[in-house]
Short mmCIF file of all heavy atoms in Angstrom, two decimals:
data_model
loop_
_atom_site.label_atom_id
_atom_site.label_comp_id
_atom_site.label_asym_id
_atom_site.label_seq_id
_atom_site.Cartn_x
_atom_site.Cartn_y
_atom_site.Cartn_z
N PHE Q 252 10.04 -6.78 -22.90
CA PHE Q 252 11.03 -7.22 -21.91
C PHE Q 252 12.46 -7.06 -22.44
O PHE Q 252 13.38 -6.73 -21.68
CB PHE Q 252 10.76 -8.65 -21.46
CG PHE Q 252 9.43 -8.81 -20.78
CD1 PHE Q 252 8.53 -9.78 -21.18
CD2 PHE Q 252 9.07 -7.97 -19.73
CE1 PHE Q 252 7.30 -9.92 -20.56
CE2 PHE Q 252 7.83 -8.10 -19.10
CZ PHE Q 252 6.96 -9.08 -19.52
N ALA Q 253 12.63 -7.27 -23.75
CA ALA Q 253 13.96 -7.05 -24.34
C ALA Q 253 14.36 -5.58 -24.21
O ALA Q 253 15.52 -5.26 -23.92
CB ALA Q 253 13.96 -7.48 -25.80
N GLY Q 254 13.39 -4.68 -24.41
CA GLY Q 254 13.66 -3.25 -24.25
C GLY Q 254 14.06 -2.91 -22.82
O GLY Q 254 14.96 -2.11 -22.58
N LEU Q 255 13.39 -3.54 -21.86
CA LEU Q 255 13.73 -3.31 -20.46
C LEU Q 255 15.13 -3.82 -20.14
O LEU Q 255 15.87 -3.21 -19.36
CB LEU Q 255 12.70 -4.00 -19.56
CG LEU Q 255 11.33 -3.31 -19.50
CD1 LEU Q 255 10.30 -4.22 -18.85
CD2 LEU Q 255 11.43 -1.99 -18.73
N LEU Q 256 15.50 -4.94 -20.75
CA LEU Q 256 16.83 -5.49 -20.51
C LEU Q 256 17.93 -4.60 -21.08
O LEU Q 256 19.04 -4.57 -20.53
CB LEU Q 256 16.92 -6.90 -21.09
CG LEU Q 256 16.29 -8.00 -20.24
CD1 LEU Q 256 16.18 -9.30 -21.00
CD2 LEU Q 256 17.11 -8.19 -18.96
N ARG Q 257 17.61 -3.89 -22.12
CA ARG Q 257 18.61 -2.94 -22.63
C ARG Q 257 18.84 -1.81 -21.61
O ARG Q 257 19.92 -1.26 -21.52
CB ARG Q 257 18.15 -2.37 -23.98
CG ARG Q 257 18.31 -3.36 -25.13
CD ARG Q 257 18.14 -2.69 -26.48
NE ARG Q 257 16.77 -2.29 -26.73
CZ ARG Q 257 15.83 -3.08 -27.25
NH1 ARG Q 257 16.12 -4.34 -27.58
NH2 ARG Q 257 14.61 -2.63 -27.46
N ARG Q 258 17.80 -1.49 -20.85
CA ARG Q 258 17.93 -0.47 -19.81
C ARG Q 258 18.56 -1.03 -18.54
O ARG Q 258 19.29 -0.33 -17.84
CB ARG Q 258 16.55 0.09 -19.44
CG ARG Q 258 15.87 0.90 -20.52
CD ARG Q 258 14.57 1.46 -19.99
NE ARG Q 258 13.96 2.38 -20.93
CZ ARG Q 258 13.15 3.38 -20.58
NH1 ARG Q 258 12.88 3.59 -19.30
NH2 ARG Q 258 12.61 4.16 -21.48
N ALA Q 259 18.20 -2.27 -18.22
CA ALA Q 259 18.66 -2.87 -16.95
C ALA Q 259 19.12 -4.30 -17.21
O ALA Q 259 18.42 -5.26 -16.88
CB ALA Q 259 17.54 -2.84 -15.92
N PRO Q 260 20.30 -4.48 -17.82
CA PRO Q 260 20.75 -5.81 -18.23
C PRO Q 260 21.01 -6.77 -17.07
O PRO Q 260 21.08 -7.98 -17.28
CB PRO Q 260 22.04 -5.53 -19.01
CG PRO Q 260 22.50 -4.19 -18.54
CD PRO Q 260 21.25 -3.43 -18.23
N GLN Q 261 21.09 -6.25 -15.85
CA GLN Q 261 21.35 -7.12 -14.70
C GLN Q 261 20.08 -7.52 -13.96
O GLN Q 261 20.16 -8.14 -12.90
CB GLN Q 261 22.31 -6.42 -13.73
CG GLN Q 261 23.71 -6.20 -14.32
CD GLN Q 261 24.64 -5.51 -13.37
OE1 GLN Q 261 24.24 -4.63 -12.60
NE2 GLN Q 261 25.91 -5.88 -13.40
N SER Q 262 18.91 -7.19 -14.51
CA SER Q 262 17.65 -7.54 -13.86
C SER Q 262 17.26 -8.98 -14.17
O SER Q 262 16.82 -9.29 -15.29
CB SER Q 262 16.53 -6.60 -14.30
OG SER Q 262 15.28 -7.07 -13.81
N GLY Q 263 17.40 -9.85 -13.19
CA GLY Q 263 17.00 -11.24 -13.38
C GLY Q 263 15.51 -11.37 -13.63
O GLY Q 263 15.07 -12.27 -14.36
N ASN Q 264 14.71 -10.49 -13.03
CA ASN Q 264 13.26 -10.55 -13.22
C ASN Q 264 12.90 -10.31 -14.69
O ASN Q 264 12.06 -11.03 -15.26
CB ASN Q 264 12.58 -9.50 -12.33
CG ASN Q 264 11.08 -9.63 -12.31
OD1 ASN Q 264 10.53 -10.72 -12.13
ND2 ASN Q 264 10.39 -8.52 -12.48
N PHE Q 265 13.52 -9.33 -15.31
CA PHE Q 265 13.24 -9.06 -16.73
C PHE Q 265 13.70 -10.23 -17.60
O PHE Q 265 13.04 -10.57 -18.59
CB PHE Q 265 13.93 -7.77 -17.17
CG PHE Q 265 13.42 -6.52 -16.48
CD1 PHE Q 265 14.21 -5.37 -16.45
CD2 PHE Q 265 12.18 -6.50 -15.86
CE1 PHE Q 265 13.76 -4.22 -15.83
CE2 PHE Q 265 11.71 -5.34 -15.24
CZ PHE Q 265 12.51 -4.21 -15.21
N VAL Q 266 14.83 -10.83 -17.26
CA VAL Q 266 15.31 -11.98 -18.02
C VAL Q 266 14.29 -13.12 -17.98
O VAL Q 266 13.98 -13.74 -19.01
CB VAL Q 266 16.67 -12.46 -17.47
CG1 VAL Q 266 17.05 -13.82 -18.07
CG2 VAL Q 266 17.76 -11.44 -17.76
N LEU Q 267 13.74 -13.39 -16.81
CA LEU Q 267 12.78 -14.49 -16.67
C LEU Q 267 11.50 -14.22 -17.45
O LEU Q 267 10.95 -15.12 -18.10
CB LEU Q 267 12.47 -14.73 -15.19
CG LEU Q 267 13.60 -15.42 -14.41
CD1 LEU Q 267 13.36 -15.32 -12.92
CD2 LEU Q 267 13.74 -16.87 -14.85
N TRP Q 268 11.02 -12.98 -17.39
CA TRP Q 268 9.81 -12.67 -18.15
C TRP Q 268 10.08 -12.71 -19.65
O TRP Q 268 9.21 -13.12 -20.43
CB TRP Q 268 9.25 -11.31 -17.71
CG TRP Q 268 8.38 -11.44 -16.50
CD1 TRP Q 268 8.73 -11.23 -15.20
CD2 TRP Q 268 7.01 -11.85 -16.48
NE1 TRP Q 268 7.66 -11.48 -14.37
CE2 TRP Q 268 6.60 -11.87 -15.14
CE3 TRP Q 268 6.10 -12.22 -17.47
CZ2 TRP Q 268 5.30 -12.22 -14.76
CZ3 TRP Q 268 4.80 -12.57 -17.10
CH2 TRP Q 268 4.42 -12.58 -15.76
N PHE Q 269 11.25 -12.30 -20.07
CA PHE Q 269 11.61 -12.44 -21.48
C PHE Q 269 11.57 -13.92 -21.87
O PHE Q 269 11.05 -14.28 -22.94
CB PHE Q 269 13.00 -11.86 -21.71
CG PHE Q 269 13.52 -12.06 -23.11
CD1 PHE Q 269 13.04 -11.32 -24.16
CD2 PHE Q 269 14.51 -13.01 -23.37
CE1 PHE Q 269 13.51 -11.50 -25.45
CE2 PHE Q 269 14.99 -13.21 -24.66
CZ PHE Q 269 14.49 -12.45 -25.70
N ALA Q 270 12.06 -14.77 -20.98
CA ALA Q 270 12.09 -16.21 -21.27
C ALA Q 270 10.70 -16.78 -21.43
O ALA Q 270 10.43 -17.55 -22.35
CB ALA Q 270 12.84 -16.94 -20.16
N ILE Q 271 9.76 -16.41 -20.53
CA ILE Q 271 8.43 -17.02 -20.64
C ILE Q 271 7.65 -16.42 -21.81
O ILE Q 271 6.76 -17.08 -22.38
CB ILE Q 271 7.63 -16.95 -19.32
CG1 ILE Q 271 7.29 -15.53 -18.92
CG2 ILE Q 271 8.37 -17.65 -18.20
CD1 ILE Q 271 6.31 -15.47 -17.75
N ALA Q 272 7.97 -15.17 -22.19
CA ALA Q 272 7.35 -14.64 -23.41
C ALA Q 272 7.83 -15.43 -24.62
O ALA Q 272 7.05 -15.76 -25.53
CB ALA Q 272 7.70 -13.16 -23.57
N LYS Q 273 9.11 -15.78 -24.64
CA LYS Q 273 9.64 -16.57 -25.75
C LYS Q 273 9.06 -17.99 -25.76
O LYS Q 273 8.79 -18.55 -26.83
CB LYS Q 273 11.18 -16.63 -25.67
CG LYS Q 273 11.86 -15.29 -25.84
CD LYS Q 273 11.66 -14.69 -27.22
CE LYS Q 273 12.46 -15.43 -28.27
NZ LYS Q 273 12.34 -14.79 -29.60
N THR Q 274 8.84 -18.57 -24.55
CA THR Q 274 8.24 -19.91 -24.53
C THR Q 274 6.81 -19.85 -25.02
O THR Q 274 6.31 -20.82 -25.59
CB THR Q 274 8.29 -20.53 -23.12
OG1 THR Q 274 7.59 -19.71 -22.20
CG2 THR Q 274 9.72 -20.72 -22.65
N GLY Q 275 6.14 -18.71 -24.81
CA GLY Q 275 4.80 -18.54 -25.37
C GLY Q 275 4.81 -18.61 -26.88
O GLY Q 275 3.83 -19.02 -27.50
N LEU Q 276 5.92 -18.23 -27.47
CA LEU Q 276 6.09 -18.32 -28.92
C LEU Q 276 6.57 -19.70 -29.36
O LEU Q 276 6.82 -19.94 -30.54
CB LEU Q 276 7.10 -17.26 -29.39
CG LEU Q 276 6.63 -15.81 -29.28
CD1 LEU Q 276 7.80 -14.85 -29.45
CD2 LEU Q 276 5.55 -15.53 -30.31
N GLY Q 277 6.73 -20.60 -28.38
CA GLY Q 277 7.18 -21.96 -28.70
C GLY Q 277 8.68 -22.12 -28.73
O GLY Q 277 9.18 -23.17 -29.14
N ASP Q 278 9.40 -21.10 -28.30
CA ASP Q 278 10.87 -21.16 -28.33
C ASP Q 278 11.39 -21.64 -26.98
O ASP Q 278 11.39 -20.90 -26.00
CB ASP Q 278 11.43 -19.78 -28.65
CG ASP Q 278 12.95 -19.77 -28.72
OD1 ASP Q 278 13.57 -20.83 -28.51
OD2 ASP Q 278 13.52 -18.69 -28.99
N ARG Q 279 11.83 -22.90 -26.91
CA ARG Q 279 12.41 -23.42 -25.68
C ARG Q 279 13.90 -23.72 -25.85
O ARG Q 279 14.50 -24.42 -25.04
CB ARG Q 279 11.67 -24.69 -25.23
CG ARG Q 279 10.31 -24.41 -24.62
CD ARG Q 279 9.65 -25.69 -24.13
NE ARG Q 279 10.44 -26.37 -23.12
CZ ARG Q 279 10.41 -26.08 -21.82
NH1 ARG Q 279 9.65 -25.10 -21.37
NH2 ARG Q 279 11.14 -26.77 -20.96
N SER Q 280 14.49 -23.16 -26.90
CA SER Q 280 15.92 -23.38 -27.11
C SER Q 280 16.75 -22.52 -26.16
O SER Q 280 17.87 -22.88 -25.78
CB SER Q 280 16.31 -23.04 -28.55
OG SER Q 280 16.17 -21.65 -28.78
N PHE Q 281 16.18 -21.39 -25.77
CA PHE Q 281 16.81 -20.46 -24.83
C PHE Q 281 18.14 -19.90 -25.33
O PHE Q 281 18.97 -19.47 -24.54
CB PHE Q 281 16.97 -21.10 -23.44
CG PHE Q 281 15.67 -21.42 -22.79
CD1 PHE Q 281 15.35 -22.72 -22.43
CD2 PHE Q 281 14.75 -20.41 -22.55
CE1 PHE Q 281 14.13 -23.01 -21.84
CE2 PHE Q 281 13.53 -20.69 -21.95
CZ PHE Q 281 13.21 -22.00 -21.60
N ASP Q 282 18.33 -19.92 -26.65
CA ASP Q 282 19.54 -19.29 -27.20
C ASP Q 282 19.53 -17.78 -26.90
O ASP Q 282 20.53 -17.22 -26.47
CB ASP Q 282 19.62 -19.52 -28.71
CG ASP Q 282 19.90 -20.98 -29.04
OD1 ASP Q 282 20.42 -21.68 -28.16
OD2 ASP Q 282 19.57 -21.41 -30.16
N GLU Q 283 18.35 -17.16 -27.13
CA GLU Q 283 18.25 -15.72 -26.85
C GLU Q 283 18.32 -15.46 -25.36
O GLU Q 283 18.83 -14.43 -24.93
CB GLU Q 283 16.95 -15.16 -27.43
CG GLU Q 283 16.96 -15.01 -28.95
CD GLU Q 283 15.75 -14.27 -29.45
OE1 GLU Q 283 15.68 -13.04 -29.23
OE2 GLU Q 283 14.86 -14.90 -30.04
N LEU Q 284 17.78 -16.41 -24.56
CA LEU Q 284 17.86 -16.25 -23.11
C LEU Q 284 19.31 -16.21 -22.66
O LEU Q 284 19.70 -15.38 -21.83
CB LEU Q 284 17.12 -17.40 -22.42
CG LEU Q 284 17.24 -17.43 -20.89
CD1 LEU Q 284 16.68 -16.17 -20.27
CD2 LEU Q 284 16.54 -18.66 -20.33
N ALA Q 285 20.12 -17.10 -23.18
CA ALA Q 285 21.55 -17.12 -22.81
C ALA Q 285 22.21 -15.79 -23.15
O ALA Q 285 23.03 -15.28 -22.38
CB ALA Q 285 22.25 -18.26 -23.53
N GLN Q 286 21.83 -15.20 -24.27
CA GLN Q 286 22.39 -13.91 -24.65
C GLN Q 286 21.92 -12.82 -23.68
O GLN Q 286 22.70 -11.98 -23.24
CB GLN Q 286 21.96 -13.54 -26.08
CG GLN Q 286 22.67 -14.34 -27.17
CD GLN Q 286 24.16 -14.00 -27.20
OE1 GLN Q 286 25.01 -14.82 -26.85
NE2 GLN Q 286 24.48 -12.77 -27.61
N SER Q 287 20.60 -12.86 -23.35
CA SER Q 287 20.05 -11.81 -22.48
C SER Q 287 20.57 -11.92 -21.05
O SER Q 287 20.55 -10.95 -20.30
CB SER Q 287 18.52 -11.88 -22.47
OG SER Q 287 18.07 -13.05 -21.81
N ALA Q 288 21.04 -13.13 -20.66
CA ALA Q 288 21.47 -13.37 -19.28
C ALA Q 288 22.97 -13.17 -19.09
O ALA Q 288 23.49 -13.50 -18.02
CB ALA Q 288 21.06 -14.78 -18.86
N LYS Q 289 23.66 -12.62 -20.07
CA LYS Q 289 25.12 -12.49 -19.96
C LYS Q 289 25.56 -11.67 -18.75
O LYS Q 289 26.61 -11.93 -18.17
CB LYS Q 289 25.67 -11.86 -21.24
CG LYS Q 289 25.84 -12.85 -22.39
CD LYS Q 289 26.53 -12.18 -23.56
CE LYS Q 289 26.85 -13.19 -24.67
NZ LYS Q 289 27.52 -12.55 -25.82
N ALA Q 290 24.74 -10.67 -18.38
CA ALA Q 290 25.14 -9.79 -17.27
C ALA Q 290 24.66 -10.30 -15.91
O ALA Q 290 24.88 -9.66 -14.89
CB ALA Q 290 24.59 -8.38 -17.50
N ILE Q 291 24.00 -11.47 -15.90
CA ILE Q 291 23.39 -11.97 -14.67
C ILE Q 291 24.40 -12.73 -13.82
O ILE Q 291 25.16 -13.57 -14.33
CB ILE Q 291 22.19 -12.89 -14.99
CG1 ILE Q 291 21.11 -12.11 -15.75
CG2 ILE Q 291 21.62 -13.52 -13.74
CD1 ILE Q 291 20.52 -10.96 -14.99
N ASP Q 292 24.39 -12.45 -12.53
CA ASP Q 292 25.18 -13.22 -11.56
C ASP Q 292 24.27 -14.33 -11.04
O ASP Q 292 23.30 -14.06 -10.32
CB ASP Q 292 25.64 -12.31 -10.42
CG ASP Q 292 26.57 -13.02 -9.44
OD1 ASP Q 292 26.55 -14.27 -9.40
OD2 ASP Q 292 27.28 -12.32 -8.69
N TYR Q 293 24.57 -15.57 -11.41
CA TYR Q 293 23.69 -16.68 -11.05
C TYR Q 293 23.65 -16.96 -9.55
O TYR Q 293 22.81 -17.71 -9.08
CB TYR Q 293 24.12 -17.95 -11.80
CG TYR Q 293 24.01 -17.84 -13.29
CD1 TYR Q 293 25.09 -18.17 -14.12
CD2 TYR Q 293 22.85 -17.38 -13.89
CE1 TYR Q 293 25.00 -18.05 -15.50
CE2 TYR Q 293 22.75 -17.26 -15.26
CZ TYR Q 293 23.83 -17.60 -16.07
OH TYR Q 293 23.74 -17.48 -17.43
N ARG Q 294 24.53 -16.32 -8.80
CA ARG Q 294 24.54 -16.53 -7.35
C ARG Q 294 23.56 -15.60 -6.64
O ARG Q 294 23.24 -15.80 -5.47
CB ARG Q 294 25.95 -16.30 -6.79
CG ARG Q 294 27.02 -17.25 -7.34
CD ARG Q 294 28.41 -16.75 -6.98
NE ARG Q 294 28.69 -15.45 -7.60
CZ ARG Q 294 29.80 -14.75 -7.42
NH1 ARG Q 294 30.76 -15.23 -6.64
NH2 ARG Q 294 29.98 -13.59 -8.01
N ILE Q 295 23.12 -14.56 -7.35
CA ILE Q 295 22.23 -13.57 -6.74
C ILE Q 295 20.81 -13.81 -7.24
O ILE Q 295 20.56 -13.91 -8.44
CB ILE Q 295 22.69 -12.14 -7.10
CG1 ILE Q 295 24.10 -11.90 -6.55
CG2 ILE Q 295 21.72 -11.11 -6.55
CD1 ILE Q 295 24.69 -10.58 -6.97
N TRP Q 296 19.86 -13.90 -6.31
CA TRP Q 296 18.46 -14.19 -6.65
C TRP Q 296 17.90 -13.10 -7.55
O TRP Q 296 18.18 -11.93 -7.34
CB TRP Q 296 17.64 -14.28 -5.36
CG TRP Q 296 16.35 -14.99 -5.59
CD1 TRP Q 296 15.13 -14.44 -5.86
CD2 TRP Q 296 16.18 -16.40 -5.61
NE1 TRP Q 296 14.22 -15.41 -6.06
CE2 TRP Q 296 14.82 -16.63 -5.91
CE3 TRP Q 296 17.03 -17.49 -5.42
CZ2 TRP Q 296 14.30 -17.92 -6.01
CZ3 TRP Q 296 16.51 -18.76 -5.51
CH2 TRP Q 296 15.16 -18.97 -5.80
N PRO Q 297 17.14 -13.48 -8.63
CA PRO Q 297 16.69 -14.82 -9.02
C PRO Q 297 17.60 -15.52 -10.01
O PRO Q 297 17.14 -16.36 -10.80
CB PRO Q 297 15.32 -14.52 -9.65
CG PRO Q 297 15.52 -13.19 -10.34
CD PRO Q 297 16.46 -12.42 -9.44
#
Side-chain angles (χ1 to χ4, degrees):
F252 297 128
L255 287 167
L256 281 169
R257 285 192 289 274
R258 292 184 173 207
Q261 294 180 324
S262 171
N264 188 48
F265 296 159
V266 169
L267 286 167
W268 275 98
F269 175 74
I271 66 170
K273 296 295 288 184
T274 59
L276 291 167
D278 181 359
R279 285 183 60 84
S280 67
F281 296 120
D282 291 338
E283 286 189 72
L284 174 60
Q286 286 294 110
S287 69
K289 279 186 174 180
I291 299 298
D292 185 339
Y293 297 129
R294 298 167 297 177
I295 299 174
W296 198 265

